[in-house]
Amino acid sequence: MGGLSEGLIQLLIPAAALLGIGFAFLQWVLVSRVKVSGYADDESQENNLIETGHEEGFEDFEVVAKCAEIQKAISVGATSFLFTQYKYLVVFMGAFGAIIFLFLGSVKSFSTKSEPCTYNKGQMCKPALANAIFSTIAFFLGALTSVLSGFLGMKIATYANARTSLEARKGIGKAFTIAFRSGAVMGFLLAANGLLVLYASINLFKLYYGDDWEGLYESITGYGLGGSSMALFGRVGGGIYTKAADVGADLVGKIEKNIPEDDPRNPAVIADNVGDNVGDIAGMGSDLFGSYAESTCAALFVASISSFGFTHNYAAMSYPLLISSMGIVICLITTLFATDLVEVKKVSEIEPSLKRQLLISTVLMTAGAALVSFVALPSRFKLYDFGNDKVVKNWHLFFCVVTGLWAGLIIGYTTEYYTSNAYSPVQDVADSCRTGAATNVIFGLALGYKSVIIPIFSIAVSIYVSFRLAAMYGIAMAALGMLSTIATGLAIDAYGPISDNAGGIAEMAGMSHEVRERTDALDAAGNTTAAIGKGFAIGSAALVSLALFGAFVSRAGIETVNVMNPRVFIGLIVGAMLPYWFSAMTMKSVGSAALKMVEEVRRQFNSIPGLMEGRTKPDYANCVKISTDASLREMIPPGALVLITPLIAGTFFGVETLAGLLAGSLVSGVQVAISASNTGGAWDNAKKYIEAGASEHAKALGPKGSEAHKAAVIGDTVGDPLKDTSGPSLNILIKLMAVEALVFAPFFAAHGGLIFKHI
């Protein structure tokens, strides 16, 4: 038996979650100490002014008032967009919840009789109708938690952006700490909320299911489906919003009018800053929450049909939740390194400090995973392995978690190498701008394709190792290992958009050149960390999706997935096409929305007198409306494609074709996603490299407005939808189709394949 008693575990998991929420609250209190109003009464402020010396008291008051005004505009814009989006999503949730209930309820034609268990032969399990009801409830819970994660993240980011700009006047270290703390608020809230809601759901469902663990954990898979379906719309909608504004603002502002980025004369500038919050923060939050929920659900489901599901070993069954709890504690210690133990004093220390976060959390989590594995798990046990039992020892599972964890670190570091302007790949891309935009595009695409190699090998190794050690459960645990340090991953990821916004606010409020240089330095590091975050999301999506695929195959009763079978192969080839179809939709949506935005920005520059001279204000609201309308209208077709495809494949073509479809979309989606987000990140940082002019090489290419810089801006603009819309949405496509197939597996197994039954 495992060494921990049930009572102790019932205490430890919620304690870790509450610790995470408490820590997030503490960070928020520290951030809110920076005041954005009423600076005149603040005595300490005078000392700061003497230190900085170059900004007068009166001007200072004006700058603060202006920061507060801009911050409010961004916050109002982001909140109103998300509320409008949620109105649409409530309708979708209701409809999809009904589909889940009807499909699963019809498996045994809505009977309320108990039935023999699928795996634990000789035992009686709760009726299929119960599975339908509880899966639907779990779906709603997952969806709500996902929406809440995104919304809270956005609120914190819009709260912190102006505070970061104001702190940047005192020095780079202060600004970095505020931006990082705010990111940590989001990271810890999300990790702790996800764990707490899942833990509470399991305990509530247990009141009905009692000893029927198989039924209990099968219905819990709805939680992952809810989380990811909201994430899909959040990611796609937010991505279209942010990039329509960004591309529109850049093309007219920087290339045609030659005004700086985030210049207050640019009508699209507020929409652009709102977009950072709804796309990169709210979308990313929901996305990583979805991964986290799904990998936990996959692990719990596979465990429930293994020996510790049958023997009701509570400690071993809770292993995935204990790993996540340990992750929260480890990330808490890690965060202190960035904010309290080691202080950032100069620009060159920003990126190493963020990279150190990844390394510290990975090393500490390795020890944490060892502790959990040896305390919670029995020394040997049986795992379900496609109809056979596989004997596994507790150290096998420790290795599964650790391979996932370190694969995540390798993916993070590789992404950083290919997207940071401190290394040669991005510098080569910047250098290619000398001969114009075409060579820049060629070099950028090549970089993206090349950056896929190492991540794919590391995913392949962790899949092979974890499958050999502990079958599908091992892969689910590897995915959970990669996501165990999610709080730190999200903190460094959310830091990026907050710094980006801070730079925008500094520019719009007319702060000094020095402050703008500091926020630019924070933002360039933020671009790289955002790319690392996307790398994590994509890598974990690949493992999660494979674990869900394994759970689906065993639930649907497929013995083997044979590629030579034409039913499987057609699924495979169509599945591989889906990421391209999906990317085409999202890219075109950004393109057409950006077209409208460019026309509107041009119209304002041409028709509003005194706008270029800065005498009158542009009409920001109109640009915000264009972005909002475009994203709400355009998020529906790609979302529908992802959600309807598995239902059609399973219902009409059967479980074998669906298995092929999932495998195909997984294999091609990962490649497209990694290359798209790294290409976009590299182009963005190549542009920043030229703008910063930090080295002799960069000075030779610059300054802003030179031909090479214009070529770099074009590359950046092409890369925007790749790195912020198509790339990051693809990882949701991969996971969402797999978790949907798993939730609907009982229906497909019973009634699927209408066409192939007759051919």
Side-chain angles (χ1 to χ4, degrees), residues 416-441:
E416 195 238 4
Y417 173 71
Y418 279 107
T419 57
S420 162
N421 53 26
Y423 304 105
S424 60
V426 171
Q427 291 172 9
D428 291 346
V429 171
D431 190 59
S432 70
C433 294
R434 283 179 309 160
T435 47
T439 41
N440 180 25
V441 170

Side-chain angles (χ1 to χ4, degrees), residues 302 306 381 383-385 390-393 396-398 400 463-477:
V302 179
S306 301
F381 45 89
L383 278 176
Y384 182 84
D385 179 18
K390 184 180 175 74
V391 175
V392 178
K393 298 186 174 64
H396 288 172
L397 280 186
F398 162 68
C400 294
I463 287 171
Y464 185 78
V465 171
S466 47
F467 190 86
R468 289 294 301 187
L469 290 173
M472 272 304 165
Y473 187 60
I475 291 177
M477 285 320 300

Side-chain angles (χ1 to χ4, degrees), residues 389-673:
D389 280 340
K390 184 180 175 74
V391 175
V392 178
K393 298 186 174 64
N394 54 8
W395 59 268
H396 288 172
L397 280 186
F398 162 68
F399 272 108
C400 294
V401 173
V402 170
T403 48
L405 186 64
W406 285 88
L409 185 75
I410 293 169
I411 292 172
Y413 274 21
T414 309
T415 311
E416 195 238 4
Y417 173 71
Y418 279 107
T419 57
S420 162
N421 53 26
Y423 304 105
S424 60
V426 171
Q427 291 172 9
D428 291 346
V429 171
D431 190 59
S432 70
C433 294
R434 283 179 309 160
T435 47
T439 41
N440 180 25
V441 170
I442 294 168
F443 269 72
L445 287 172
L447 176 144
Y449 298 148
K450 196 173 167 193
S451 71
V452 175
I453 302 169
I454 297 173
I456 290 297
F457 275 121
S458 58
I459 291 172
V461 169
S462 74
I463 287 171
Y464 185 78
V465 171
S466 47
F467 190 86
R468 289 294 301 187
L469 290 173
M472 272 304 165
Y473 187 60
I475 291 177
M477 285 320 300
L480 210 57
M482 197 181 279
L483 289 165
S484 59
T485 52
I486 185 174
T488 295
L490 259 170
I492 63 171
D493 196 31
Y495 153 88
I498 291 171
S499 309
D500 192 352
N501 258 215
I505 291 174
E507 179 74 49
M508 283 187 270
M511 289 186 179
S512 67
H513 180 63
E514 199 180 344
V515 173
R516 181 67 220 206
E517 273 186 346
R518 285 174 189 156
T519 55
D520 271 354
L522 289 172
D523 184 19
N527 257 339
T528 304
T529 60
I532 292 176
K534 286 170 194 137
F536 258 91
I538 296 163
S540 65
L543 291 173
V544 169
S545 169
L546 188 62
L548 291 164
F549 175 72
F552 161 73
V553 168
S554 60
R555 183 64 190 87
I558 305 172
E559 297 289 310
T560 51
V561 180
N562 178 7
V563 184
M564 295 312 294
N565 177 345
R567 290 183 186 185
V568 175
F569 195 81
I570 57 167
L572 200 62
I573 200 161
V574 171
M577 174 272 299
L578 286 173
Y580 291 93
W581 188 359
F582 180 83
S583 297
M585 284 176 159
T586 49
M587 294 285 285
K588 195 157 182 294
S589 301
V590 172
S592 56
L595 204 69
K596 289 198 185 78
M597 189 65 81
V598 167
E599 283 164 1
E600 171 62 20
V601 175
R602 274 185 193 150
R603 182 192 70 75
Q604 291 200 27
F605 273 126
N606 295 335
S607 64
I608 300 178
L611 180 58
M612 262 315 270
E613 295 74 36
R615 290 199 308 274
T616 46
K617 273 189 169 176
D619 177 4
Y620 296 130
N622 225 358
C623 291
V624 171
K625 187 176 182 322
I626 287 178
S627 260
T628 303
D629 293 348
S631 72
L632 293 173
R633 192 178 55 250
E634 304 278 357
M635 74 180 182
I636 306 212
L641 173 77
V642 177
L643 286 162
I644 293 170
T645 308
L647 289 178
I648 292 176
T651 309
F652 294 107
F653 300 96
V655 284
E656 288 174 315
T657 306
L658 179 52
L661 188 84
L662 296 177
S665 67
L666 166 64
V667 168
S668 89
V670 175
Q671 330 288 337
V672 180

Side-chain angles (χ1 to χ4, degrees), residues 76-86 237-238 241 278 627-628 631-632:
V76 167
T79 309
S80 73
F81 168 74
L82 287 178
F83 275 132
T84 320
Q85 190 183 32
Y86 296 155
Y241 185 109
V278 296
S627 260
T628 303
S631 72
L632 293 173

